[in-house]
Amino acid sequence: MKTLLSILCILLVFSGCSSPYVENNTVEEIAPVTFWSLNQGEGGKFKITTLVPPVTDEKKRLFTLNVDLLKQGKKEFNLKFYRELKNGQLRMLIINEKLAKKEIISLIDTILSDPDVSPRLFLVLVRGSFEDFLEEERKVQKNLDYYLYRMFRHYERRNQGEMSIVNLHEFMEKVYSPYSDPVLPIFKADKDNFTYEGTALFNENKYVGLFNKREDQMFQLIANDHYLKNLPIPHLNVSLGQVRSKVHMQVDDQFKTLNIHVKLKGRIDEYRGHRNILDRSEMNRMTHDIESYLQRETAGLVKETQRLKIEPLEVGAHTLSPLVHPMTRREWLDHYEKMKVHVKYSVKIEPLSL
Amino acid sequence: MFRKKKRTAANQKKNEEMNRITHEAVTLDLLKQATAKMDDAKIVQRQTNNGASFSLVYIQTLIDKERLNEAIIQPLLQSGDQAFIQCISTCSVLRIHSIEEAKEHMLFGAVLIHDHENNEWWAVQLENTLSRAIENSETETIMYGPKDSFTERIEQNVFMIRRRLPVTELKAEKFQAGSNTKTQVQMLYIEGIANPDIVEIARENISKVNFDLILEASNLSAFMDDHTHSLFPQFMQTDRPDSCAYSLGLGKIVILLNDTPFALIAPITFFHLFQSPEDYVHRWVIASFLRTLRYLSFFIAITLIPLYVALTTYHYQMIPLQILYVLMESRSKLPFTPFWESLIMLIIIEIIKEASLRMPTKTSQTIGVIGGIVIGQAAVEAGFASKVLIVLVGISAIACFLVPNYLVTKATTVLQFLILILASFYGILGIAFGLILLLAHLNGLSSLKQPFFAPVSPLYWRDWKDLFVRAPLPWAKLRPEYLKTVKKWRVSKGEGSE
Amino acid sequence: MSSRFRLFDRTAVMGSGYIFAMVNRMQMLYYVLILPKHLVHPYMMAGILGVGVLSQINLLILGKYLTSNYFVLGYRGFVQLFSEKMVRFFAFLGIFFILIKVIVTTLGYVEIVHQFMFPSMKTSWLIFVLMASGFYIASQGMEKTIRLSIISFLATIWVILVYIPYFLPPISQTHHLYPLVPGEVSLHSWYGLLMVWSALSGPEYIVCLGPWIGPKEKILRGMSIGNALSVFEYLVLFVACLLYYGSPYLQKISFPVVNMIRYLQSPVFERVDLILISLNMIYFLYLIALFLLCLYGAIRIVAGRINIKTNRKGFLGSVAAVFICMLIINGWYWREGEELNLWVTLQLWLGAITYLLVPSVLAVAIKWKRGQS
């Protein structure tokens, strides 16, 4: 028995595995990066930025590098910094709009193939210079990266209806799905501010357009969250609160018309107009106004997607049924482009009480 | 080597048998020889009022002197013409023949009487019944329920059980164990409930014990265990007569030893080690909750610290960002790696635990305070350990005391160390290795040849009523299936009344 | 001491619960983890069900043997049914089959660990630890190893509950399930069905466990429930994968069943997958132990030492031989990253063949024997 055991040991040693130890990730020796900010660099390279050391109270530095490959960036950082950078706690990937126009999918593939990275990573587009924002803000805010993450997490959970929050998996799933196109939130960054701008639109994996803040509200209502905490309609001097929508889409058999019926429920948050909305008939008129406003806006939104020939609203999914073989994406989009759109809203507003 | 040992043991046995066969007749000289240099041995010669002479041989520390006077000396002195033996007013009087018999009786507290005329020897049991009073159980305290506990006297212990189970089916078989201690062992079981096969196994196991000193219950169980190298006790020890009675009623076997207040209960399962008599006092929902809590705390006790090591050494990606923040903060200036840090802290905790256990009560308080301050405060401030670890060590140290069985409590400590080592090699995977091997080990154990992991593997669904959940007693109409009892019903129906 | 080392003792008979757990866990071994990727299309749900029914029929045929008297006799039963020479020949074949099965499943598990937990780990040590643990479990004897099936079943069955969130709205996309009718049937789909069949293989090895299994009447019931549960689990996992990924994306994911758990977060541990991968080791270990024992038995039969007592040296030797084979294959012939590499494909075919042939050959043999007498 002893001889057998010793033979085993010798074999193990000879097969080149002298130590059972695996990768060392001792927490005090690593710097678990929480975000990468990617930007276009000089000479066709990337500019890759992060704050180090992450998740500690220490004073932070901004690290920026020009690299060809994403992983090369990580390596170069390690040569520069006293703790090893690790991707296991990566929570946000902030991509500059300009870079996104050129390529996005290869970047995301790289991130996705890393087993350390959780598919719950938030993807964000940025217009302007996020690096400048970091540079300024890190002086004021100690845990900038952490608070940014908490913000995304807050809006992701239970769909707060303020922003489109998209994580890595959702994005990829939509890229591959023939009847839907991914979206990403887009932020505007400058020295002082980091503000939500709207939703960036993609055609499969190409960045093609954008819903601005006003359109974005409609988008949240009919496609993304089906909920808005607050829907201001300045045009009618009214603001609706806790708006919940139920969307019913129908495409006819010849793929000629699209009927969208949205049932909306909400209450009046604020009113600054001249109508006496405590009166029922006045209120009805008001509701009607809101309906026609929403119809106009929504129709505009759908038109925009038809013009761009993209599918963030996932209309095509409504044409699928268990027994019919689906058409290809191209066929569907050709139909979709020419489709007539009818939008109908039924708004129910809880009576205002004082 | 092993075979050799066996052979010598066999030889010894043979010799003993030879001795027993060649018994010599009792003579006063032989007894004098045997009691030489035993200052507490007395040999007294007297004459009755009509002149017949007799001798008394006894060891005065072992007998009750007052009763010696009352029951033997006075009657004998005034016996007149009556035969000796008719004067003695105690219940157990035995005629003895060989010197071996004489010695044995004498050493168990008998007075030997020699009738000079007829050259007859008699042994009269007059042992000293000195013992402590029946007190509360200190090892298994409960709020409600009976408070008496066993004492060192086996008669008293059997009495306490018999009083609870006044049925003739309760059998008590006597054995003797230990070549020097000659410890009296009694095996109790209820005939007609306990499985005869298990009783036979126990009987065989007890009679096979071959050792010089059997001083307490663990000594005996060490020779009866099926698995000598296991960390887990295969016999339950208790000093509560009510637990014993309960176990007997279910169909288990209770083994009592003289001179020790702890009884052995078998066959048990792993899950019995987590049951407390108090489970049957509480409302069933609460009892179930408490029981589940015990399993949980056992799990916490063996995995919490290893988990800390695994997470901080390998799996930082598993920790939520908020917690990672705290961890990095507290670990940033420590001199040791998580594994060494934990190992050192755990060993220190064990030292403190052990010290406070061995110390008199008053000193142990001091140890508690010093330990608390040294561990809690100073280690962190000096930068030897992280705050997080101190919290975790505290939790796991307390968690392991939730297991009612003290032997398991100590076993958890060792398990914790083993899993800690595995965790330091393979992180979470190492912990999983540890737990799986633990399960496999428990699965392989047996108590009196009955599977140790019983209602789970082999699977007896019916017994799950009293496993993690303690179902209401009226539901427990059947005895545990794994005990394979002769009578299954606990209520008066089905296979007849009890 | 060595006289106490008995591997093939029997003190009790294992009821239908064990058969159920054993069949189920054998069928949930390894292949289910890569299966969805190769089934891809929603209509393959029907494929899984269909193959499940076929597997049930196969189990009925297998039941023919398991309820015969030959089964209870174990080795002697085989000898009665075939000649001793034939049994030795079959055992020799069996060695090869079991060896491949043990090696492929172990290396497959090692690969998962390597890919998801410790990308920079050297795998040899992990293989060593796995084999050592398997040896420990197996050395407790056949009876206790079989008994472990319940524990490994209970310890892992709840994992299926983890997939519930994938059926709930924020993650699931119902339209991924359409269409349910196949457009055109390609060779790939047939291959997928073969994979399901092969994944469902394993219960045929119960024929080696004759003396421990009983009573006769309940064997078939245990197997059927086990098989049904496996098919149900396959369906749950496959549908969860579809709902989560959608067919086009699913094709590109390696180990989809494992990969998708990375998406879940519990409040205490954010990466549940690491815990689940570690936990699933229990039934890999259990089956390794079981197959090691079968292998040792087969070696004893081939060597004609069936009547000689088992000893630790022999068993350790055969385990060491398996370990060395594994190291060699792992070192030189195992290509990582490619799930359907040579060995996995080989086992795929071997599993399918044994599962198809063993029951029918035995059934035919019994019939032939009855006709003879």
Side-chain angles (χ1 to χ4, degrees), chain A residues 20-28 30 32 34 54-57 83 86-89 91 116 143 146 149-150 153, chain B residues 311-322 324-325 327-329 331-334 336-338 424-427:
Chain A
Y21 298 101
V22 292
E23 196 162 352
N24 185 5
N25 287 329
T26 315
V27 283
E28 65 266 28
I30 56 163
T34 48
V55 283
T56 48
D57 264 343
R83 284 187 199 154
K86 294 271 181 179
N87 274 337
Q89 287 281 355
R91 303 302 173 118
D116 273 352
N143 281 319
Y146 179 61
Y149 164 67
R150 286 306 285 258
R153 197 174 161 77
Chain B
L311 292 187
T312 49
T313 350
Y314 297 115
H315 310 292
Y316 69 102
Q317 64 267 58
M318 279 179 73
I319 315 170
L321 209 54
Q322 300 90 306
L324 184 67
Y325 187 83
L327 269 179
M328 289 187 74
E329 198 63 26
R331 282 208 50 85
S332 59
K333 285 178 189 112
L334 295 183
F336 304 118
T337 59
S424 79
F425 281 122
Y426 279 117

Side-chain angles (χ1 to χ4, degrees), chain A residues 8 11 16-17 19 22-23 91 112 114-117 119-120 153 167 169 172-173 176 317 322-324 326, chain C residues 115 120-122 124-125 173 175-176 178-181 183 244-245 248-249 252 262-263 265 270-271 323-324:
Chain A
L8 273 183
L11 261 170
C17 40
S19 116
V22 292
E23 196 162 352
R91 303 302 173 118
L112 197 62
D114 188 338
D116 273 352
V117 178
R120 285 210 183 236
R153 197 174 161 77
N167 63 35
H169 167 74
M172 289 308 279
E173 185 220 325
Y176 282 106
L323 297 177
V324 182
Chain C
Q115 196 168 332
S120 60
M121 174 183 62
K122 290 216 168 125
S124 316
W125 272 101
Q173 300 279 346
H175 62 83
H176 283 324
Y178 302 143
L180 285 173
V181 286
Y244 177 66
Y245 288 114
Y249 192 20
K252 301 193 161 52
R262 284 168 59 198
Y263 193 69
Q265 286 181 336
E270 293 213 324
R271 294 286 298 279
F323 174 57
I324 290 165

Side-chain angles (χ1 to χ4, degrees), chain B residues 126-376:
Chain B
L126 265 189
E127 80 226 76
N128 199 341
T129 48
L130 210 63
S131 82
R132 65 183 169 102
I134 296 173
E135 280 162 4
N136 286 358
S137 168
E138 274 179 20
T139 42
E140 288 175 76
T141 43
I142 61 169
M143 293 290 267
Y144 292 95
K147 305 255 179 184
D148 54 347
S149 73
F150 287 145
T151 65
E152 277 76 7
R153 290 194 62 80
I154 195 166
E155 287 85 3
Q156 222 162 32
N157 300 347
V158 175
F159 154 72
M160 277 187 268
I161 294 176
R162 276 224 186 267
R163 202 175 49 184
R164 285 182 167 83
L165 290 169
V167 287
T168 48
E169 283 85 5
L170 175 62
K171 306 295 177 196
E173 293 180 17
K174 263 191 197 175
F175 298 88
Q176 205 181 55
S179 53
N180 278 346
T181 52
K182 300 210 165 44
T183 315
Q184 195 194 124
V185 178
Q186 288 204 27
M187 180 176 80
L188 277 67
Y189 60 93
I190 298 185
E191 205 176 49
I193 295 180
N195 187 322
D197 295 340
I198 302 177
V199 175
E200 185 50 45
I201 292 169
R203 202 177 280 142
E204 205 176 293
N205 275 355
I206 298 177
S207 42
K208 265 199 298 197
V209 173
N210 180 13
F211 201 59
D212 58 344
L213 303 172
I214 301 288
L215 289 171
E216 44 115 18
S218 304
N219 292 163
L220 187 72
S221 71
F223 287 93
M224 293 172 66
D225 280 346
D226 297 340
H227 304 265
T228 322
H229 306 299
S230 175
L231 285 178
F232 293 94
Q234 289 139 48
F235 288 85
M236 191 140 89
Q237 295 199 19
T238 180
D239 63 349
R240 301 182 55 84
D242 56 329
S243 316
C244 286
Y246 184 77
S247 305
L248 284 170
L250 291 182
K252 292 189 213 169
I253 294 165
V254 170
I255 297 165
L256 291 168
L257 273 79
N258 201 4
D259 301 323
T260 180
F262 287 95
L264 296 174
I265 300 177
I268 55 158
T269 66
F270 176 68
F271 305 97
H272 282 129
L273 302 172
F274 290 82
Q275 296 176 0
S276 147
E278 215 171 21
D279 287 353
Y280 302 93
V281 172
H282 282 295
R283 313 290 304 160
W284 77 269
V285 180
I286 298 156
S288 308
F289 167 71
L290 290 177
R291 207 178 257 184
T292 321
L293 199 68
R294 271 179 230 140
Y295 291 112
L296 187 73
S297 65
F298 173 74
F299 184 72
I300 287 177
I302 59 175
T303 55
L304 193 62
I305 305 295
L307 207 58
Y308 167 80
V309 173
L311 292 187
T312 49
T313 350
Y314 297 115
H315 310 292
Y316 69 102
Q317 64 267 58
M318 279 179 73
I319 315 170
L321 209 54
Q322 300 90 306
I323 302 175
L324 184 67
Y325 187 83
V326 179
L327 269 179
M328 289 187 74
E329 198 63 26
S330 74
R331 282 208 50 85
S332 59
K333 285 178 189 112
L334 295 183
F336 304 118
T337 59
F339 170 69
W340 285 108
E341 182 197 8
S342 318
L343 193 69
I344 292 169
M345 289 315 285
L346 281 182
I347 287 175
I348 292 174
I349 283 278
E350 283 314 308
I351 291 173
I352 292 173
K353 265 198 214 163
E354 199 58 24
S356 58
L357 208 70
R358 303 275 162 260
M359 286 284 166
T361 345
K362 280 172 191 159
T363 341
S364 72
Q365 266 178 4
T366 330
I367 287 179
V369 172
I370 294 173
I373 292 172
V374 167
I375 298 296

